[in-house]
Amino acid sequence: MRNIFLASSVRPPRAATTVVIVASLWLSVLGNLALWKTLLLVPDLTGWHGMAFGAAFALIIACLVAALLSLLAWRFTLKPAITLLLLLAAFATHYMLMYGVVLDTPMLVNVLQTDTRETRDQLSWRLLATVVGLAVLPLIWLWRQLITTPPVAWQMLRNAGLFAGGLVLAFGTTQLVFQDFASLMRNYTEMRYQINPLNSVYAVLDMTVIPSEQPRGPMQPLGQDAHIGGRTNSKPPQPPLLVFVLGETARSQSFSLNGYSRSTNPLLAHENVTSFTQVRSCGTSTAESLPCMFSHLGRTDFAKRSHEFENMLDVLQHAGLAVLWMDNQSGCKGQCARVPYVNTSNLKLPEYCEGDECRDTVMLARIDAELAKLPAERRARGTVVVMHQMGSHGPAYFKRTPAEFKKFTPECTDTSLSQCDRAQVVNAYDNTLVFTDYFLSRVIAWLKTHEKTTIPAMLYVSDHGESLGEKNMYLHGLPYSVAPPEQTTVPLITWLSPGFEQLSRVSTRCLQADRNKPLSHDNLFHSVLGLMAIKTSAYQRERDLFATCEGR
């Protein structure tokens, strides 16, 4: 390897401008394979017309990349800058080709919050081949070049000329194909997020330089007036106990309770549950949805907020309830920062765990011991337990289920899902739902054993959905405006014990009659407060999904 870099000393020096142009052409053409694949599917851009437009589009991208690199076209900054762009483009290309995802700010946040276990699930020989082909090989060429720059004043003029020339040529080319370009960006919005490496650069800037519109300042208190006394006028004989199961990557369309042809909910079908069929998520990724679904604002106002606020769990604590977050996933995205927390994903219990991953049932093995640690005076008023599932986390769906729950076979065991037969992908995913069905039935069974000392209930909802090959899309994380319903329609299931129905005056029969009404994550904050009889100025009755069934 040392000889490779020493070879640069005997090679003719190259001007920084030349290296910028070569790198920009490589990135625009080979770094955008996913974009060109999408472009080939556009019916209005076929034949010579489509080829000419594609060439113009590639030139526009190359000019913009060149303009970007011109800002860093100095001897000691150019190679690192090109290295970063090549690696970003290579990794983004792999995931866009394999899963049909795009790279925007929420997706980048998701990537940065991914833990070691999730990262390992993503590794494959195809990823290595893509990175080697699109990044490593050109990097070997790049780092063997001896880049020369003239005196600073002359280099500044060259860089300025390259910057201006790139923008002018990009603008002029855009004008030549403006009608097709405008139509494409309007009708195929997802293409905006497939333009490598500009999509990655924008996402990074959006998280660092542009956040002037993002929430700032200290955490704003919320619901400090909260107290118990909502729907009941007298103190119940036992305290209420709500288990809020936070699902992972479960889509409503694949639940047999909601009409799916396969029996993915065989155990819940025998419980007195309500499964709501028209529930929209706050986002298409965990990082996007979790903070939103625990907020009082709702999706639209949450996106426009100017401050961070305390969340639903804080309000429950302000009311004097005991609150516990149990996590079998990669964290709570800041939502459990001020409540008792336990991570069960690394407990190493042989009955529930294999390697460094534990089944969701491990939370039930620990829940009694963890509840006993909560203040007794709070538990006497009521308890809310959040259980954050591993659920159907992909792409390694096959790892989420033990052998006895592999009801649908054969399964896809390749993390590059697009390389499997789609039926195998669906089999592996549906098996995760069968196991979730088992887990939820176990939660209900555990709650029933506590009916003598508490008044129990369960609420289950997923953070977002999942694409399983529809329109060649896999996983999740598309921008909400263009995301398919498979990624934004999530299951929401409630189970109320007879005692809880009496306490809350909410009838399960009424809920079942309303199961097809449109709901969203916007309802969760207010519905949980209403269900736990919390009075506070932060509560909005019109968003409480249980309010319409009170007393009916």
Side-chain angles (χ1 to χ4, degrees):
M1 195 70 179
R2 182 170 176 267
N3 291 335
I4 291 176
F5 295 102
L6 286 177
S8 64
S9 62
V10 297
R11 289 176 173 272
R14 296 187 186 275
T17 303
T18 302
V19 175
V20 167
I21 293 172
V22 172
S24 300
L25 289 172
W26 179 279
L27 285 164
S28 67
V29 178
L30 295 178
N32 280 283
L33 295 177
L35 177 64
W36 309 138
K37 180 182 177 182
T38 303
L39 198 62
L40 287 173
L41 300 176
V42 177
D44 296 334
L45 296 173
T46 57
W48 289 107
H49 175 65
M51 291 180 64
F53 177 82
F57 201 170
L59 180 59
I60 294 169
I61 297 171
C63 290
L64 293 175
V65 173
L68 174 65
L69 286 174
S70 70
L71 303 175
L72 299 165
W74 304 92
R75 177 184 295 182
F76 299 110
T77 58
L78 183 57
K79 286 183 179 180
I82 294 175
T83 299
L84 178 61
L85 294 186
L86 284 170
L87 290 172
L88 286 173
F91 278 97
T93 294
H94 170 77
Y95 287 106
M96 287 192 286
L97 286 175
M98 288 298 104
Y99 305 118
V101 301
V102 298
L103 207 156
D104 60 352
T105 305
M107 180 60 75
L108 183 60
V109 172
N110 242 14
V111 170
L112 295 176
Q113 294 182 354
T114 297
D115 60 18
T116 305
R117 177 180 51 186
E118 293 174 350
T119 300
R120 190 178 59 251
D121 284 348
Q122 305 280 345
L123 299 179
S124 69
W125 289 109
R126 292 182 183 86
L127 173 60
L128 178 62
T130 303
V131 172
V132 169
L134 296 184
V136 175
L137 293 180
L139 283 175
I140 292 174
W141 174 86
L142 173 68
W143 285 92
R144 294 181 68 189
Q145 305 307 306
L146 178 61
I147 298 177
T148 60
T149 56
V152 173
W154 280 107
Q155 187 60 34
M156 288 183 66
L157 286 175
R158 286 188 181 184
N159 291 356
L162 183 59
F163 180 79
L167 292 183
V168 169
L169 186 55
F171 178 78
T173 307
T174 303
Q175 295 307 304
L176 291 176
V177 294
F178 182 78
Q179 186 172 350
D180 287 332
F181 188 82
S183 176
L184 190 72
M185 293 297 103
R186 182 174 60 252
N187 297 323
Y188 300 89
T189 314
E190 66 275 12
M191 281 194 185
R192 302 176 188 176
Y193 307 98
Q194 289 183 312
I195 302 174
N196 262 332
L198 301 177
N199 51 1
S200 303
V201 172
Y202 177 81
V204 171
L205 292 176
D206 193 32
M207 291 178 58
T208 55
V209 178
I210 304 176
S212 56
E213 298 180 1
Q214 298 300 317
R216 291 183 174 182
M219 179 74 67
Q220 301 298 302
L222 181 71
Q224 293 189 322
D225 60 341
H227 62 280
I228 301 169
R231 292 180 178 135
T232 57
N233 296 318
S234 58
K235 183 179 179 180
Q238 289 94 27
L241 169 61
L242 174 65
V243 173
F244 183 158
V245 180
L246 181 54
E248 169 64 35
T249 319
R251 64 186 214 172
S252 180
Q253 296 90 337
S254 296
F255 272 54
S256 55
L257 288 175
N258 295 340
Y260 186 47
S261 59
R262 285 179 153 184
S263 180
T264 51
N265 308 122
L267 298 177
L268 288 179
H270 297 289
E271 299 287 352
N272 189 28
V273 300
T274 304
S275 182
F276 294 92
T277 63
Q278 305 295 325
V279 184
R280 298 273 289 179
S281 66
C282 270
T284 61
S285 67
T286 305
E288 195 178 14
S289 275
L290 245 65
C292 177
M293 65 198 295
F294 282 86
S295 168
H296 68 297
L297 295 171
R299 188 176 74 86
T300 302
D301 290 336
F302 184 81
K304 298 185 296 185
R305 71 197 187 284
S306 57
H307 292 86
E308 293 289 4
F309 290 87
E310 291 182 333
N311 60 40
M312 177 181 77
L313 304 183
D314 295 302
V315 177
L316 293 171
Q317 284 202 140
H318 292 330
L321 300 185
V323 180
L324 172 65
W325 185 293
M326 303 189 74
D327 208 295
N328 198 42
Q329 249 266 26
S330 58
C332 65
K333 314 304 180 189
Q335 300 312 293
C336 60
R338 294 167 296 279
V339 303
Y341 170 87
V342 59
N343 190 313
T344 62
S345 64
N346 54 5
L347 290 180
K348 308 295 184 184
L349 300 177
E351 183 181 352
Y352 302 97
C353 307
E354 183 177 342
D356 60 353
E357 181 171 323
C358 294
R359 310 292 182 204
D360 290 326
T361 45
V362 71
M363 291 186 283
L364 287 170
R366 293 293 306 167
I367 188 169
D368 286 307
E370 297 301 330
L371 284 177
K373 298 176 183 178
L374 301 179
E377 65 274 13
R378 285 184 172 272
R379 285 187 283 122
R381 300 186 190 100
T383 302
V384 175
V385 181
V386 179
M387 289 183 166
H388 189 194
Q389 282 186 278
M390 174 57 76
S392 302
H393 197 289
Y397 306 126
F398 66 96
K399 291 185 178 181
R400 309 285 96 93
T401 53
E404 60 270 27
F405 288 90
K406 295 188 182 299
K407 181 176 181 179
F408 307 108
T409 57
E411 285 187 318
C412 174
T413 57
D414 191 331
T415 55
S416 297
L417 299 177
S418 61
Q419 303 305 304
C420 287
D421 182 85
R422 183 171 177 268
Q424 296 179 359
V425 175
V426 173
N427 286 343
Y429 180 82
D430 285 354
N431 287 334
T432 67
L433 299 186
V434 172
F435 188 71
T436 288
D437 175 75
Y438 170 73
F439 172 66
L440 293 178
S441 71
R442 288 282 306 277
V443 170
I444 293 173
W446 178 83
L447 286 169
K448 288 178 178 178
T449 65
H450 287 70
E451 284 188 289
K452 292 183 179 180
T453 56
T454 66
I455 304 176
M458 182 195 76
L459 173 64
Y460 164 81
V461 65
S462 183
D463 54 354
H464 55 78
E466 187 86 327
S467 288
L468 299 176
E470 298 88 0
K471 298 181 180 178
N472 294 315
M473 289 186 287
Y474 293 88
L475 302 181
H476 52 268
L478 281 176
Y480 202 89
S481 59
V482 299
E486 289 82 9
Q487 294 188 27
T488 59
T489 308
V490 294
L492 191 160
I493 297 171
T494 62
W495 175 83
L496 308 180
S497 66
F500 207 102
E501 287 194 50
Q502 183 177 0
L503 173 67
S504 63
R505 297 175 58 232
V506 173
S507 162
T508 295
R509 182 177 297 179
C510 172
L511 293 176
Q512 291 171 346
D514 291 345
R515 64 189 296 264
N516 295 318
K517 66 181 179 181
L519 298 170
S520 73
H521 280 166
D522 293 4
N523 298 101
L524 290 176
F525 176 96
H526 308 280
S527 299
V528 170
L529 294 188
L531 205 57
M532 297 304 291
I534 304 300
K535 282 189 174 181
T536 171
S537 57
Y539 168 77
Q540 297 177 31
R541 181 178 173 84
E542 63 273 15
R543 287 187 173 182
D544 182 349
L545 71 90
F546 300 105
T548 56
C549 282
E550 182 182 343
R552 287 173 58 186

